Amino acid sequence: MPTTQSDSFYKSIKFFGLTVLLMFSGPGAIYEAFKNENHPLYLPVLILGFILSLAALALFYYSLRLMMTAIFGKRKK
């Protein structure tokens, strides 16, 4: 039976995988938007790219925090 710390560690690994996916898709969408500036969907694709990039940053912070909690435990006050 896995412990709570190992469950948290595996959960952080899953979030890191999603973070890597977002880290490639966000800048990829921004690149495609700038490559096709005359296309009618230029602005929505550009906005989507920025949202995906910001989501990658937020998810990276969250998954890193989960991993540190799994490794070192909860912070004592």
Side-chain angles (χ1 to χ4, degrees):
M1 192 83 187
T3 63
T4 308
Q5 285 183 339
S6 67
D7 288 342
S8 180
F9 183 75
Y10 291 129
K11 186 177 178 182
S12 70
I13 295 296
K14 289 178 188 177
F15 277 117
F16 267 123
L18 186 58
T19 300
V20 169
L21 180 71
L22 287 174
M23 288 172 98
F24 284 105
S25 63
I30 293 171
Y31 172 74
E32 288 298 323
F34 281 130
K35 196 167 77 170
N36 299 314
E37 288 185 20
N38 296 329
H39 197 275
L41 291 176
Y42 162 70
L43 195 57
V45 172
L46 185 64
I47 292 171
L48 178 69
F50 281 126
I51 289 172
L52 289 175
S53 296
L54 289 175
L57 287 173
L59 202 58
F60 176 74
Y61 174 74
Y62 178 70
S63 58
L64 188 63
R65 190 177 70 174
L66 270 177
M67 186 173 285
M68 291 299 116
T69 302
I71 292 172
F72 299 115
K74 297 248 182 204
R75 188 169 27 168
K76 297 175 184 171
K77 293 184 179 181

